[in-house]
């Protein structure tokens, strides 16, 4: 009986406390400043230096550059850029090494899908993922 009373007392005490659960997805989530979400890629900023792909611990970045068609622009421009989110661990290393901030983190995180194929995100998709860019606008 004492145990039951103790249990009920604990239950009533919890009822008056502030809730720690979040009404996702109806309530917007507020993430910490350093939250690592899905990357935004800005192709016009990319100099095809390959540093992001080289540092990636899971080899999930594939990129191909091509010669610039603009005679005033030296060097390569990006042609294709893909990230495989089946194996990306959102470690942030690619964004840390990028010298031009062509690849940056966002706080977007919803990638759930019924197909693994949909976890391959290409240049266009990553370019369009330009909301909630960490540290400012894209
Ligand atoms: S966040 Fe990490 S694992 Fe994902 S693409 Fe960048 S370097 Fe690779
Ligand atoms: S590190 Fe940045 S500039 Fe270099 S290839 Fe990757 S995204 Fe492009």
């Amino acid at each position: 009986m004492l145990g039951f009373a103790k249990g009920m007392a604990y239950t009533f005490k919890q009822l008056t406390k502030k809730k720690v659960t979040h009404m996702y997805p109806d309530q917007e989530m507020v993430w910490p400043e350093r939250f690592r979400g899905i990357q935004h890629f800005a192709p016009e900023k990319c100099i095809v230096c390959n540093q992001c792909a080289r540092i990636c611990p899971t080899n999930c970045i594939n990129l191909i550059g091509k010669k610039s068609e603009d005679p005033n622009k030296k060097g390569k421009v990006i042609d294709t850029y893909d990230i495989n989110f089946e194996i990306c661990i959102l470690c942030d290393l690619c964004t840390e090494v990028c010298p031009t901030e062509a690849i940056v983190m966002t706080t977007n995180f919803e990638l759930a899908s019924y197909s693994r194929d949909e976890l391959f995100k290409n240049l266009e998709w990553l370019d369009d993922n330009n909301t909630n860019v960490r540290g400012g606008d894209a």
Side-chain angles (χ1 to χ4, degrees), residues 14-80:
Q14 295 307 310
L15 283 177
T16 58
K17 279 192 177 169
K18 193 174 171 239
K19 288 186 178 62
V20 291
T21 47
H22 200 90
M23 296 302 284
Y24 174 82
D26 300 328
Q27 252 178 18
E28 200 183 327
M29 303 290 283
V30 179
W31 299 111
E33 210 177 296
R34 297 286 300 163
F35 182 84
R36 302 195 301 261
I38 309 156
Q39 299 89 326
H40 162 62
F41 177 69
E44 68 284 356
K45 291 186 186 171
C46 181
I47 54 172
V48 199
C49 65
N50 225 27
Q51 291 198 59
C52 53
R54 247 185 270 144
I55 202 163
C56 178
T58 62
N59 283 330
C60 63
I61 299 178
N62 278 301
L63 63 95
I64 299 173
K66 65 179 180 185
K67 202 166 171 275
S68 171
E69 285 162 14
D70 181 352
N72 299 319
K73 199 170 176 186
K74 283 184 185 167
K76 285 182 175 177
V77 291
I78 198 76
D79 191 22
T80 66

Side-chain angles (χ1 to χ4, degrees), residues 89-107:
I89 55 172
L90 297 171
C91 66
D92 206 6
L93 288 174
C94 52
T95 67
E96 292 286 336
V97 295
C98 180
T100 62
E101 296 192 350
I103 185 152
V104 287
M105 284 281 170
T106 74
T107 54

